[in-house]
């Protein structure tokens, strides 16, 4: 999983996030970089939605249960037209609609306000159950963090989803193996993670969460079973794309980022090929 | 009261396809007819309250009206953040039916007492907190829960509680009911303390005191206007609740009185559980008596308040 798997578009998202971080001085950058390819593929080709009619009844539901990764979601939702791109540069400011965690009231297309861990997956279970009761064809996806899997409610939800045979539900675990303090192995070991989900009654797939071809192939096949809920364990790298940030707990959340700190990070992403559409978007 | 409440959920489900019933792990045979007739809307989902509250929110966000029944402590204290965020912040139409509010489960000890349920749920913006006084009032409440916007907590009494509510006085969520008029003392009740207050009013009458009894079945939203209207006429105000005196009905009354701007402060007392963990067992009635939440305690309190008033005058 070297840097080589990130294409120009993936790099441009990261440059944009660094730019936002520099402008507003705060954000969970490591988590955002960890989920970018997953969210990109979901919104490119997996989820059914209408960004101009975000409450469309038959849309697929997506809940970013690990809400602190929201910068990785916002840059893609802006690109897809849920809200103006200029909002990105008002991230976490009094004049903007985008807070440090997703907020369903202020942000079109956000299904549920998350941030406190261990909530979004259960909400997704309720949504998938509603679809099942009403025999609707829309699907529910939720992206949970590995640190989030420390929460007991995640495993309550897993038991429940399996018991209810919610085959339209797909859980994606962002398994970057780092949490705020240190590695998941040190803080609260989740292994054997795939076996755990399997034993809870899920159909399990694993993928490299930064390899676009793998992410596409896996998510296109989801959900994987007609009788069981599905889970994708996405092996990712926290801070993916910038060596200084990768797997570095210092970058779990940053406030007051300085220009001196940012310059070498941007240089790490410097590549003429990544001068994408974002280059024209400026801070208002 | 619990049976009446759950029977009402069954009746509501028969007429409204949005209604879903969820239990955690409650008594065998509960709502068997519901389960048999509407199996796709009956769920017994285990002792996983935090998950259940958020799952309910997901159902509500998708157009359903889920009713959850479990023991009051495990619906309020344990999953509090799930209630606050996924019920409150999302303003979902979830209905939390708490069995054994107060000291109904007195014989089971302090882990099962719900003495702070109303206080903590009252802090959630948009949350309705309702405690009917008897099964007949429950019957009047439940049909209104279908259309009420936002989350709601329904506090159940012990069951078999004497019927003191009266149909002719009507029922509206958020509107106080004046069970009895009187100019000397205002007794304010919620839940089963309506019967305590009425009994106290009888004792007071025998002592030559006229007591009004105002029943606040809805502690939130608190009917401040109706309360202050009655309070303005009374010489003394006493709240009665099967709940800690911190944060519940008594606090709501105190807050309203303190901000009312009456020319003279009202003589006021809160009858409820003090700021301690009750370490004794026994029945609901025994615990209420031990902690001074009876009709005779209300009488003594009223006499003391009025005495202090006459002294100061």
């Amino acid at each position: 999983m070297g840097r080589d798997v990130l294409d120009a578009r993936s790099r441009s998202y990261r440059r944009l996030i660094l730019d936002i971080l520099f402008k507003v001085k705060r954000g969970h950058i490591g988590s955002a970089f960890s989920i970018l390819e997953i969210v990109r593929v979901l919104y490119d080709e997996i989820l059914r939605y209408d960004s101009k009619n975000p409450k469309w009844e038959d849309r697929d539901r997506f809940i970013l249960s690990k809400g602190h990764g929201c910068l990785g979601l916002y840059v893609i939702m802006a690109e897809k037209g849920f809200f103006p791109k200029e909002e990105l540069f008002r991230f976490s400011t009094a004049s903007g609609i985008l807070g440090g965690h997703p907020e369903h009231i202020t942000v079109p297309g956000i299904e549920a306000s998350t941030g406190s861990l261990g909530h979004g997956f259960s909400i997704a279970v309720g949504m998938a159950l509603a679809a099942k009761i009403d025999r609707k064809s829309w699907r529910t996806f939720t992206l949970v963090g590995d640190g989030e899997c420390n929460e007991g409610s995640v495993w309550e939800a897993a038991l429940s989803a399996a018991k209810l045979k919610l085959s339209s539900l797909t859980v994606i675990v962002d398994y970057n193996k780092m949490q705020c303090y240190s590695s998941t192995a040190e803080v609260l070991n989740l292994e054997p993670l795939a076996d755990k989900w399997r034993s809870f009654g899920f159909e399990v797939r694993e993928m490299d969460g930064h390899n676009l071809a793998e992410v596409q192939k896996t998510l296109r096949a989801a959900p994987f079973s007609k009788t069981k809920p599905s889970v994708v364990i996405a092996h990712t790298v926290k801070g993916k794309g910038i060596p200084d940030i990768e797997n570095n707990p210092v970058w779990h959340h940053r406030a007051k980022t300085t220009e001196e700190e940012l310059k070498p990070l941007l240089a790490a992403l410097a590549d003429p090929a990544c001068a994408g559409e974002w280059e024209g978007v400026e801070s208002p | 009261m619990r049976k009446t409440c759950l029977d009402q959920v069954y009746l509501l489900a028969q007429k409204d396809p949005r209604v879903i019933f969820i239990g955690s792990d409650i008594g065998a045979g509960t709502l068997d007819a519901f389960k048999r007739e509407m199996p796709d809307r009956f769920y017994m989902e285990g002792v996983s309250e935090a998950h259940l509250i958020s799952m309910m929110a997901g159902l509500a966000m998708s157009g359903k009206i889920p009713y959850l029944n479990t023991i009051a402590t495990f619906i309020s204290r344990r999953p509090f953040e799930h209630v606050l965020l996924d019920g409150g912040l999302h303003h979902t139409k979830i209905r939390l039916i708490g069995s054994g509010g107060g000291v109904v489960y007195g014989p089971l000890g302090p882990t099962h007492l719900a003495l702070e349920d109303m206080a903590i749920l009252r802090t959630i913006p948009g949350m309705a907190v309702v405690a009917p006084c008897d099964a007949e009032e429950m019957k009047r409440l439940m049909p209104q829960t279908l259309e009420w916007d936002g989350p709601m907590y329904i506090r159940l009494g012990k069951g078999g509680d004497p019927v003191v509510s009266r149909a002719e006085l009507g029922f509206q969520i958020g509107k106080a009911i004046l069970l009895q008029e009187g100019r000397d003392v205002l007794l304010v009740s919620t839940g089963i303390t309506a019967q305590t207050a009425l009994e106290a009013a009888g004792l007071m009458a025998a002592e030559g005191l006229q007591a009004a009894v105002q029943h606040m079945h809805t502690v939130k939203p608190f009917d401040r206007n109706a309360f202050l209207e009655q309070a303005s006429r009374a010489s003394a105000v006493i709240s009665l609740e099967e709940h800690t005196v911190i944060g519940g009905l008594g606090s709501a009354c105190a807050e309203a009185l303190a901000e009312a701007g009456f020319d003279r402060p009202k003589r006021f007392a809160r009858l409820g559980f003090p700021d301690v963990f009750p370490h004794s067992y026994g029945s609901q009635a025994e615990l209420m008596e031990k902690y001074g939440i009876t009709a005779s305690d209300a009488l003594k309190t009223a006499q003391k308040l009025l005495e202090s008033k006459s002294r100061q005058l």
Side-chain angles (χ1 to χ4, degrees), chain A residues 78 141 153 159 169 186 194 203 251 259 282:
Chain A
F141 295 79
S153 61
L159 285 170
L169 173 68
E186 182 184 350
E203 188 67 29
W251 284 93
E259 193 166 355
E282 291 298 332

Side-chain angles (χ1 to χ4, degrees), chain A residues 113 116 119 122 134 160 163, chain B residues 44-45 51 64 81 86 90:
Chain A
S113 299
S116 177
H119 289 245
S122 292
D134 291 340
S160 177
K163 177 212 153 173
Chain B
M44 193 61 67
E45 291 302 301
H51 161 64
K64 306 297 179 192
E81 199 202 38
D86 303 331
H90 289 87

Side-chain angles (χ1 to χ4, degrees), chain A residues 121-122 125 152-166 169 171 196-202 229, chain B residues 44-48 51-52 55:
Chain A
F121 178 13
S122 292
V125 168
S153 61
V154 166
W155 302 101
E156 292 178 3
L159 285 170
S160 177
K163 177 212 153 173
L164 295 167
K165 298 184 171 56
L166 299 179
L169 173 68
V171 179
K196 279 193 177 68
W197 286 99
R198 213 168 277 124
S199 72
F200 271 71
F202 277 66
Chain B
M44 193 61 67
E45 291 302 301
V47 191
S48 53
H51 161 64
L52 292 184
M55 183 182 91

Side-chain angles (χ1 to χ4, degrees), chain B residues 78-93:
Chain B
R78 185 183 184 92
F80 179 68
E81 199 202 38
H82 292 257
V83 179
L84 185 141
L85 291 179
D86 303 331
L89 178 63
H90 289 87
H91 203 61
T92 48
K93 286 179 76 161

Side-chain angles (χ1 to χ4, degrees), chain A residues 203-218:
Chain A
E203 188 67 29
V204 183
R205 297 280 188 279
E206 298 190 59
M207 68 180 186
D208 175 342
H210 298 297
N211 182 315
L212 281 174
E214 259 194 57
V215 175
Q216 286 167 332
K217 186 180 166 198
T218 308

Side-chain angles (χ1 to χ4, degrees), chain B residues 93-128:
Chain B
K93 286 179 76 161
I94 63 172
R95 308 290 178 246
L96 309 174
I97 302 169
S99 298
V103 290
V104 167
Y105 292 129
L108 301 183
T111 59
H112 280 55
L113 303 184
L115 288 173
E116 66 298 296
D117 52 342
M118 295 197 290
I120 60 176
L121 295 173
R122 215 180 132 233
T123 63
I124 299 174
M127 169 69 73

Side-chain angles (χ1 to χ4, degrees), chain A residues 61-183:
Chain A
R61 272 66 167 173
F62 172 65
I63 296 178
L64 181 65
S65 196
K66 51 168 295 180
H68 57 286
C70 60
L71 273 171
L73 174 63
Y74 290 159
V75 293
I76 287 164
M77 289 182 76
E79 182 186 55
K80 300 298 182 187
F82 283 93
F83 46 80
K85 291 173 181 173
E86 287 70 22
E87 281 294 339
L88 294 170
F89 294 97
R90 292 193 277 264
F91 173 71
S92 284
T93 66
S95 59
I97 63 167
L98 304 175
H101 294 95
E103 170 64 58
H104 76 292
I105 292 282
T106 55
V107 189
I110 293 293
E111 299 285 352
S113 299
T114 54
S116 177
L117 300 175
H119 289 245
F121 178 13
S122 292
I123 294 172
V125 168
M127 290 175 166
L129 179 57
K132 185 175 180 180
I133 292 168
D134 291 340
R135 296 181 169 77
K136 296 283 190 182
S137 62
W138 49 266
R139 302 163 302 165
T140 307
F141 295 79
T142 185
L143 179 49
V144 303
D146 46 14
E148 182 173 14
C149 291
N150 296 171
E151 291 281 3
S153 61
V154 166
W155 302 101
E156 292 178 3
L159 285 170
S160 177
K163 177 212 153 173
L164 295 167
K165 298 184 171 56
L166 299 179
S167 55
S168 68
L169 173 68
T170 302
V171 179
I172 305 166
V173 182
D174 176 24
Y175 196 19
N176 57 40
K177 302 164 194 72
M178 290 292 292
Q179 47 195 109
C180 185
Y181 175 76
S182 178
S183 69

